Amino acid sequence: MQRESIIEYERYRHFRLSAGAMSLAVVAYVFDKPGTEPYGGTVLGYVLGTLAALIVLFLLFYGMRKRLTPRLPKPENTEVQTRRRFARFALRRKARRPLTFSLKGWLSAHVYWGVALVLFATLHTGFQFGWNLHSLSYVLMVLVVLSGLYGTYVYVHLPRVMTDNMGEDTLPGLLAKIDGYDKLAATSALQFPDEICQLIERSRNETRIGGRLLEQLSGRQKNCPTQLAVRKLHDMGKEFHGARLQSFHDLYAIMNHKEAAVVRARRHVKYKARLAIWLYLHAPLSIAFLLALLTHVLSVFFYW
Amino acid sequence: MSEYFKVVIIGAGPAGISAAARAAELGVSHVLLEASAQPAHTICKYQKGKHVMAEPAILPLRSSVRFAAGRREEVLHIWKEDLQAHGVNLRLGAAVVGVQGQRGEFKVALASGETLSAEFVVLALGLQGNIRKLGVRGEDLPRVQYQLDDPEDFEDETIVVVGGGDAGVENALALAEHNRVFIINREEEFTRCNEGNLHLLQQAIKEGKIEPRLNTRVDHVEELDVGGFALQLEAKTPEGTEHILCHRVIARLGASPPRQLVESFGVKFPHADVNSVPALSAQYESNVPGLYIIGALAGYPLIKQALNHGYEVIEYLLGHTVEPADEALLQEKLHVFLPNHTVNRALRVIQRDVPLLSGLTTLQLREFLLESDVFAPAQDEIIFERNDYSNTFFTILDGEFLAYTEDKNHETISYRLSRGNFFGEMGLLSGRRRVGTVKAATAGVLIETPRRSMLKLIRTVEAVRHMLDDISLRRAVQACLGGGLNDEELDYLVRNATVKKFDAGQNIFLQGDKADGLYLIRRGSVMIVRMNDGREEVLSYVAAGNYVGEKALISDMPRSATVRTAVPTETILLETRAVTEMLARNEAMRDVVLTRYRENVRAEQQLENRNQERDGLFNFLMQQGVGEATDVLLIDYSLCIRCDHCETACADTHGGASRLNREAGPTYANIHIPTSCRHCEHPHCMKDCPPDAIHRSINGEVYINDSCIGCGNCEKNCPYDVIQMAVVDPQYQQRSFLEVLFGRVAGWGKRDRELSASKKAVKCDMCRDIASGPVCVRLCPTGAARRVSPEKLALTARNDRQEMET
């Protein structure tokens, strides 16, 4: 049932292509004898720089490609439509073209060519770095690619983990379950001393799922009142006997169920946060990189 | 002595109003009887401000009352004005309990005990039926009501809701927000409401918002004035008598369907089927002379049709000849066939030449043609191709047609079909792709009939059903068993065949059973299941147009596997005796069956490497009803990054409203079925669409066209909740290249604009207007979303990557 991921897309098509291009670049760099130390201004330097810039444009276009939905044709005159209601459409059959592109292919290419970009750009520099705008562009580029690599890792790794965590549940369903446990626990706690009631009450009112950014990313709540309540209840068991012990165990079980559900919900939020967070770096950084790159290109031409 | 009228019109819906207005206009003595307190009661019950549509647009209106599409209030206002202007003799609150006699001597008995005499009776009852009342003292008090327009109208009242069906439960839930609500149910449990409502009700009861009285019936209601309460309801509970003081009683007890009532007048229905309509003459006269039936009850559910009928029926019963409103339309339609004939003559020619249509009344034939398309294909023109998804039905008026199909061994079988014959019935009955190609051998004329009209005809005219059954059976046998059968052998097999129907999940036969014969699957689909080490293995999925159980015929061994239906299924059983006899006599057929037998043995060998997850997954998909789908959206949760871009892209290409809900829906073994249309073989949504707006296109997608009137029937009928009523923004703009470049957000500004258009049904149309296919699949960044048909799914579940990717 499992289909190929963006990494394996079309039997590593984009890996093969980009690796081929990278090898060519390396070979060219090794055999190039520009007369000076290699840097961006040699012939090969310009060629590599231009190619790298084109790759950058291609990579940036992914963001647009994703958002450009296919155009709808102009609606036909409705009267004509009603008249040709039936299958005589067969006569003017609309052959479905195969998928002209899939966003999956684009994403796969985006990943591999993003990695290739680092090599192209590095060879372009001729390993000449300094405290200047040019190197700033390079650093920004590396940051963009690194954030992208993290993104690739979570995109490939997390989906399966998320499904394992949630099973057949959805987050709204899980929250409803937690709410249900809360209500059950609140009713059940009424017959017990205030201390227990307060534990349950706190667990109900102060347990957070999600919350601040760090809490989302870590999937934890500091001093989580639900976990606290379960721990404390565990130690209180010996205080009750007979029928009350039975009810106490019921309450304990309910809180355990709740804890498990809370942990799962938090984990889900954590994964979702991780799937999303890196884009908040990746996208702005790539804009910053684009600006730095434009300045780099302009300034080079200006001083030429 | 009872009052005498020339014509008594029963039911003041559109049909009745139009008839009465025409009668008044002509000065015919008449009375228009209406059981409820207002004319056009059904339309009055529409929600406030609902847009009433005037479909079908091509049909001209001919009535003494005015009608055009518009808001409910406007339509009703105009009708009231017209009723007054014509001086219609309208009696409200006059429920008819009986009609006796026939032309010239009708006796119409009213619930009030009064009797009216009439020469003619026009039944325009509609299909809503009479709302059941409490049936106890006080049922007609002003504060005892049988409907609820707007729950917001009531606040801080004590209200007793009677009835535990969906209507009652929904009313109680809505009222409980601002009122004290009791709900009275005759039964111990709320068994008659749906699960969602039941769940909400139980919660509301638990929270004390609604106070239930179970096993309880209302004894009587009386008016009084105590402490601000206006009513007292006496209820018999299991504990004894309880008096409930309240402000209002709302009883939702359903309606009694009109059929029983109509049958008691002597009108015959051809069929036990609930959708059956009475047989009528071309003048709408029923089998009771002088008793005319028009409107929805006669099988014409649209307002405009009903208005036209009302006008015509009065003309007819006065003995006038009027051209039916559709005359010009039919003339135009039949022009391709017989350009110089009048409509009536052309109809006679059709009835003479086409045996299938000869049993129809003129009225039925007219309607059949009106809904169909008559066209003249040129020689060699292809009518439809094998694997097309169309499901219309073709009748040959002229010319010769060649149908060819492939049997299991990829051998071509062809038939020649000539005038009076028909084709396309396999697609109609099975709901699957066309099994063969049909092309015009000579130039000819065809009637193409949409699926719905054909199904309606099958339900109404017994002879059509018989003929279609017989021929389709013959062709199904031929398609399954190869072309080497002569007519005599076919006759023999068909005579010995029996049609059997099964519900979903029923066993057709069990592993180890003695073989009774070979089953052709005419409609639906089955799974072949085998017990192995105490657990069930799903061997394969077999769809309509194929057969199962042939192996036992060859080897004389008990059934080697269980065959279970995946969805409601119709099969044809060819008995072993007849089949073995045929196999002994006919070598061609024996070859086909033996080849298939060997293929099966081999295929089973190859299925040794099976795993539990696969079987589980297959079972899961079948349980989710994927067996009746033709194309289902699946999301591979091991790839899905939950970005919901599928929804965003869907909304962006469909006027801002997404037709799929990614998160909702079940998951099993990393396969998730989101809430999205599966394009069923027999779409439940098509069942009851008044303007016939839901169609299946040639590529298989089921879509709703512009004639949707927003009635919501499809939304209710869809078992998978994939249809929603939504306002589609006609001005929705997809973003241009520059807008995307500069970061405009999809659907920007939509909320600021008031969307005034009326709600229509929207569902997945598989992006039928986009050449490159569904955007949810195409724009999934990780390729997790895909669309598959159940046959491919069987392969998918078999880990057959090659097949799957195609």
Side-chain angles (χ1 to χ4, degrees):
Chain A
M1 206 69 197
Q2 163 82 76
R3 297 220 293 179
E4 356 171 77
S5 67
I6 46 170
I7 302 296
E8 305 145 349
Y9 178 74
E10 292 284 318
R11 278 172 276 130
Y12 298 94
R13 173 191 288 170
H14 293 290
F15 170 73
R16 284 181 278 132
L17 287 174
S18 62
M22 284 196 278
S23 331
L24 282 181
V26 170
V27 169
Y29 185 83
V30 169
F31 289 98
D32 186 41
K33 296 282 170 288
T36 61
E37 267 192 69
Y39 79 112
T42 65
V43 174
L44 182 68
Y46 272 116
V47 170
L48 287 171
T50 312
L51 286 175
L54 290 176
I55 294 176
V56 169
L57 290 182
F58 169 75
L59 295 176
L60 285 169
F61 189 67
Y62 172 77
M64 294 192 58
R65 177 65 278 176
K66 179 176 164 183
R67 287 167 182 81
L68 283 171
T69 45
R71 308 280 96 181
L72 285 173
K74 288 227 166 68
E76 269 185 79
N77 183 336
T78 41
E79 192 164 333
V80 177
Q81 262 187 359
T82 25
R83 290 195 153 234
R84 298 191 193 146
R85 282 185 302 180
F86 318 139
R88 271 221 292 150
F89 290 158
L91 307 179
R92 13 174 239 116
R93 180 190 183 94
K94 168 188 68 178
R96 277 250 156 115
R97 264 184 288 144
L99 297 187
T100 36
F101 80 88
S102 70
L103 199 62
K104 183 184 186 180
W106 273 80
L107 185 55
S108 181
H110 186 81
V111 168
Y112 282 111
W113 289 97
V115 174
L117 173 66
V118 177
L119 183 95
F120 275 78
T122 311
L123 297 181
H124 167 65
T125 64
F127 300 93
Q128 308 270 336
F129 298 104
W131 292 103
N132 53 35
L133 179 102
H134 313 293
S135 298
L136 173 67
S137 320
Y138 183 85
V139 171
L140 284 173
M141 181 200 71
V142 171
L143 288 178
V144 174
V145 173
L146 284 179
S147 61
L149 284 175
Y150 174 76
T152 313
Y153 167 73
V154 291
Y155 270 26
V156 172
H157 175 67
L158 285 187
R160 193 170 270 277
V161 179
M162 284 178 89
T163 322
D164 291 347
N165 178 47
M166 287 305 260
E168 296 212 27
D169 283 315
T170 59
L171 188 58
L174 209 48
L175 294 180
K177 262 190 200 170
I178 292 173
D179 195 41
Y181 291 137
D182 271 337
K183 283 179 183 151
L184 275 177
T187 327
S188 162
L190 288 177
Q191 51 180 308
F192 293 105
D194 282 356
E195 195 191 353
I196 290 185
C197 283
Q198 275 162 13
L199 278 177
I200 304 298
E201 179 82 7
R202 260 197 75 202
S203 158
R204 181 175 186 170
N205 293 335
E206 291 170 31
T207 303
R208 271 199 308 274
I209 289 160
R212 290 191 306 267
L213 181 65
L214 278 180
E215 284 176 347
Q216 285 192 34
L217 282 172
S218 66
R220 286 199 193 88
Q221 179 185 359
K222 209 170 170 189
N223 303 326
C224 166
T226 301
Q227 281 162 333
L228 187 78
V230 170
R231 254 201 327 273
K232 291 225 167 137
L233 282 179
H234 182 84
D235 299 337
M236 287 175 176
K238 31 192 173 322
E239 293 169 29
F240 303 99
H241 305 284
R244 251 162 102 73
L245 183 63
Q246 180 66 40
S247 318
F248 177 80
H249 279 156
D250 287 349
L251 178 63
Y252 184 63
I254 294 167
M255 288 309 284
N256 265 292
H257 289 315
K258 180 186 169 187
E259 189 195 9
V262 165
V263 168
R264 272 169 68 208
R266 282 202 187 121
R267 253 192 245 139
H268 187 75
V269 172
K270 172 175 84 178
Y271 297 139
K272 278 197 86 147
R274 288 188 181 178
L275 279 171
I277 183 75
W278 64 276
L279 264 173
Y280 287 94
L281 287 175
H282 192 71
L285 275 175
S286 43
I287 300 297
F289 165 56
L290 178 69
L291 293 177
L293 182 68
L294 283 176
T295 327
H296 158 73
V297 172
L298 278 176
S299 65
V300 167
F301 280 114
F302 189 72
Y303 287 112
W304 199 8
Chain B
M1 199 42 218
S2 57
E3 265 184 286
Y4 178 83
F5 297 97
K6 176 101 175 166
V7 51
V8 169
I9 302 155
I10 303 170
I17 288 174
S18 177
R22 184 62 185 161
E25 204 173 38
L26 296 175
V28 175
S29 79
H30 68 279
V31 63
L32 175 58
L33 303 175
E34 169 60 44
S36 67
Q38 57 202 357
H41 186 66
T42 303
I43 296 171
C44 290
K45 281 192 301 183
Y46 286 2
Q47 78 209 41
K48 264 186 215 156
K50 182 177 163 75
H51 187 76
V52 179
M53 314 234 180
E55 294 292 331
I58 47 164
L59 188 72
L61 174 73
R62 192 171 50 192
S63 171
S64 303
V65 294
R66 288 166 291 160
F67 176 60
R71 293 192 321 122
R72 173 193 82 150
E73 288 75 5
E74 291 160 12
V75 171
L76 290 172
H77 180 70
I78 288 177
W79 285 351
K80 279 194 185 132
E81 270 184 12
D82 285 354
L83 282 176
Q84 263 173 9
H86 290 299
V88 166
N89 179 17
L90 171 66
R91 273 202 213 171
L92 297 172
V96 171
V97 291
V99 174
Q100 281 182 342
Q102 47 178 294
R103 185 174 178 155
E105 50 188 32
F106 279 112
K107 293 268 177 265
V108 179
L110 302 184
S112 61
E114 207 180 331
T115 313
L116 308 175
S117 325
E119 186 175 349
F120 298 103
V121 170
V122 173
L123 282 184
L125 291 175
L127 290 172
Q128 295 296 318
N130 287 330
I131 289 182
R132 284 205 189 95
K133 294 198 171 181
L134 282 173
V136 297
R137 180 155 59 88
E139 62 174 5
D140 288 323
L141 290 174
R143 279 167 174 265
V144 176
Q145 54 192 63
Y146 297 93
Q147 73 175 95
L148 177 64
D149 289 321
D150 188 354
E152 300 293 320
D153 290 348
F154 307 112
E155 213 168 306
D156 298 328
E157 291 195 356
T158 300
I159 300 175
V160 181
V161 176
V162 186
D166 279 314
V169 172
E170 275 166 25
N171 284 176
L173 287 167
L175 288 167
E177 293 298 316
H178 304 296
N179 303 284
R180 182 175 180 205
V181 175
F182 291 87
I183 187 162
I184 293 184
N185 189 16
R186 264 178 312 170
E187 286 147 41
E188 176 64 43
E189 280 172 65
F190 291 89
T191 44
R192 283 170 301 127
C193 70
N194 72 37
E195 222 167 288
N197 279 335
L198 184 64
H199 183 76
L200 291 172
L201 178 69
Q202 281 167 341
Q203 197 157 334
I205 291 175
K206 209 154 81 185
E207 288 167 9
K209 283 188 185 166
I210 294 180
E211 298 163 55
R213 293 290 182 271
L214 301 170
N215 266 334
T216 298
R217 54 182 188 80
V218 180
D219 189 74
H220 68 269
V221 188
E222 58 195 352
E223 264 178 326
L224 81 179
D225 189 8
V226 181
F229 294 106
L231 295 176
Q232 174 174 283
L233 180 144
E234 187 177 314
K236 295 269 186 249
T237 68
E239 287 84 39
T241 305
E242 183 181 1
H243 291 94
I244 304 174
L245 288 169
C246 59
H247 297 92
R248 198 169 298 283
V249 173
I250 296 178
R252 301 306 303 264
L253 307 165
S256 45
R259 175 161 174 172
Q260 224 178 342
L261 182 71
V262 175
E263 279 178 332
S264 76
F265 301 165
V267 175
K268 289 203 179 80
F269 286 68
H271 229 265
D273 191 313
V274 285
N275 295 310
S276 176
V277 294
L280 301 175
S281 77
Q283 271 83 41
Y284 311 119
E285 194 170 2
S286 70
N287 60 308
V288 180
L291 183 75
Y292 293 76
I293 300 180
I294 55 174
L297 183 61
Y300 304 87
L302 297 173
I303 296 174
K304 208 198 273 181
Q305 294 171 330
L307 289 169
N308 285 352
H309 286 183
Y311 178 97
E312 288 161 14
V313 78
I314 295 298
E315 297 289 334
Y316 289 143
L317 60 82
L318 292 176
H320 303 170
T321 47
V322 278
E323 272 194 356
D326 54 24
E327 186 79 5
L329 282 170
L330 278 182
Q331 182 87 56
E332 196 193 322
K333 274 207 170 146
L334 291 169
H335 187 78
V336 248
F337 178 41
L338 296 168
N340 302 320
H341 281 47
T342 62
V343 171
N344 275 330
R345 265 183 72 196
L347 295 182
R348 278 201 294 278
V349 172
I350 292 175
Q351 293 212 303
R352 189 193 64 207
D353 289 354
V354 183
L356 185 71
L357 302 178
S358 60
L360 273 62
T361 64
T362 323
L363 196 63
Q364 284 163 337
L365 184 61
R366 288 187 90 98
E367 201 208 349
F368 175 80
L369 285 170
L370 205 60
E371 287 173 358
S372 309
D373 202 6
V374 182
F375 69 104
Q379 187 175 353
D380 290 333
E381 192 173 316
I382 296 209
I383 311 303
F384 58 71
E385 280 182 74
R386 185 179 154 88
N387 288 340
D388 275 356
Y389 253 121
S390 55
N391 51 20
T392 49
F393 179 86
F394 294 86
T395 317
I396 305 173
L397 288 181
D398 200 12
E400 287 232 316
F401 291 82
L402 199 63
Y404 41 97
T405 182
E406 277 180 10
D407 68 7
K408 290 278 146 16
N409 302 347
H410 305 289
E411 276 169 28
T412 307
I413 317 169
S414 62
Y415 325 80
R416 272 188 109 72
L417 302 165
S418 56
R419 177 190 295 199
N421 237 314
F422 56 83
F423 56 88
E425 81 290 344
M426 292 271 266
L428 180 79
L429 294 172
S430 75
R432 302 188 66 81
R433 292 161 184 271
R434 297 288 193 193
V435 290
T437 302
V438 176
K439 81 174 189 187
T442 65
V445 182
L446 285 176
I447 308 177
E448 178 176 20
T449 313
R451 173 179 182 273
R452 195 178 80 140
S453 314
M454 204 56 216
L455 293 179
K456 188 166 137 194
L457 194 66
I458 294 173
R459 279 200 305 267
T460 339
V461 186
E462 193 67 12
V464 172
R465 177 206 279 275
H466 275 310
M467 193 172 298
L468 215 59
D469 266 356
D470 187 60
I471 304 273
S472 62
L473 221 152
R474 206 169 254 277
R475 290 183 186 163
V477 170
Q478 218 160 1
C480 281
L481 298 183
L485 294 168
N486 60 30
D487 277 353
E488 194 192 321
E489 287 166 335
L490 260 179
D491 272 344
Y492 181 76
L493 281 180
V494 169
R495 255 202 322 277
N496 283 289
T498 35
V499 175
K500 286 190 167 187
K501 286 183 183 171
F502 298 90
D503 286 335
Q506 237 182 312
N507 291 324
I508 293 181
F509 54 75
L510 287 168
Q511 185 173 341
D513 275 2
K514 189 176 169 334
D516 52 350
L518 174 151
Y519 286 83
L520 302 177
I521 300 157
R522 177 150 77 160
R523 180 191 163 132
S525 55
V526 301
M527 289 181 287
I528 300 183
V529 184
R530 197 165 56 184
M531 290 300 285
N532 201 359
D533 295 340
R535 70 185 178 85
E536 287 191 345
E537 277 181 354
V538 181
L539 292 179
S540 62
Y541 165 87
V542 180
N546 295 298
Y547 55 92
V548 292
E550 77 286 1
K551 217 167 57 170
L553 293 180
I554 307 286
S555 60
D556 207 24
M557 297 220 301
R559 301 286 192 194
S560 64
T562 296
V563 170
R564 183 178 305 152
T565 58
V567 292
T569 299
E570 216 175 284
T571 64
I572 302 168
L573 169 64
L574 289 181
E575 280 175 43
T576 317
R577 190 177 44 79
V579 175
T580 21
E581 203 172 308
M582 195 60 48
L583 286 180
R585 281 216 311 253
N586 187 323
E587 278 186 21
M589 182 167 152
R590 199 176 58 207
D591 281 349
V592 173
V593 177
L594 283 177
T595 313
R596 169 106 189 230
Y597 173 70
R598 285 190 292 267
E599 275 169 9
N600 262 5
V601 171
R602 200 169 158 67
E604 270 170 35
Q605 262 322 272
Q606 287 166 351
L607 283 177
E608 287 298 297
N609 307 330
R610 322 171 45 76
N611 64 57
Q612 211 154 346
E613 191 181 74
R614 189 204 77 94
D615 286 334
L617 178 60
F618 202 79
N619 271 332
F620 160 73
L621 291 170
M622 288 305 151
Q623 268 161 26
Q624 297 304 323
V626 172
E628 66 172 329
T630 62
D631 188 295
V632 57
L633 178 65
L634 296 182
I635 296 183
D636 188 336
Y637 257 11
S638 63
L639 297 178
C640 173
I641 53 170
R642 277 74 163 175
C643 65
D644 289 334
H645 193 53
C646 40
E647 288 182 19
T648 317
C650 180
D652 201 30
T653 40
H654 292 96
S658 173
R659 279 97 197 271
L660 85 104
N661 183 342
R662 196 269 307 160
E663 195 176 8
T667 314
Y668 179 90
N670 270 310
I671 295 299
H672 177 68
I673 311 178
T675 302
S676 168
C677 181
R678 300 116 177 265
H679 305 274
C680 300
E681 283 175 357
H682 291 280
H684 301 273
C685 52
M686 277 189 198
K687 252 184 243 164
D688 184 15
C689 174
D692 196 15
I694 307 180
H695 297 276
R696 159 163 266 146
S697 89
I698 193 87
N699 294 319
E701 63 271 10
V702 174
Y703 65 96
I704 305 177
N705 71 17
D706 288 347
S707 61
C708 169
I709 57 172
C711 68
N713 283 357
C714 51
E715 186 194 22
K716 278 185 231 109
N717 284 337
C718 173
Y720 306 110
D721 287 336
V722 302
I723 301 185
Q724 33 167 333
M725 308 305 294
V727 178
V728 175
D729 184 354
Q731 288 159 42
Y732 187 88
Q733 294 275 330
Q734 281 174 277
R735 291 171 293 176
S736 69
F737 187 87
L738 280 180
E739 283 170 333
V740 172
L741 185 62
F742 290 108
R744 208 194 81 166
V745 178
W748 186 271
K750 196 180 128 202
R751 292 214 166 62
D752 303 342
R753 216 169 42 241
E754 188 70 28
L755 286 175
S756 57
S758 55
K759 280 190 173 179
K760 289 192 167 196
V762 297
K763 64 180 282 297
C764 165
D765 57 1
M766 285 226 277
C767 295
R768 60 192 298 267
D769 296 319
I770 297 168
S772 47
V775 289
C776 50
V777 172
R778 182 157 90 140
L779 287 178
C780 174
T782 56
R786 61 182 152 143
R787 292 197 152 270
V788 284
S789 64
E791 297 102 299
K792 276 202 186 128
L793 213 79
L795 296 168
T796 307
R798 213 176 274 168
N799 272 330
D800 193 337
R801 176 160 283 182
Q802 282 295 310
E803 295 274 4
M804 199 177 86
E805 295 296 332
T806 53

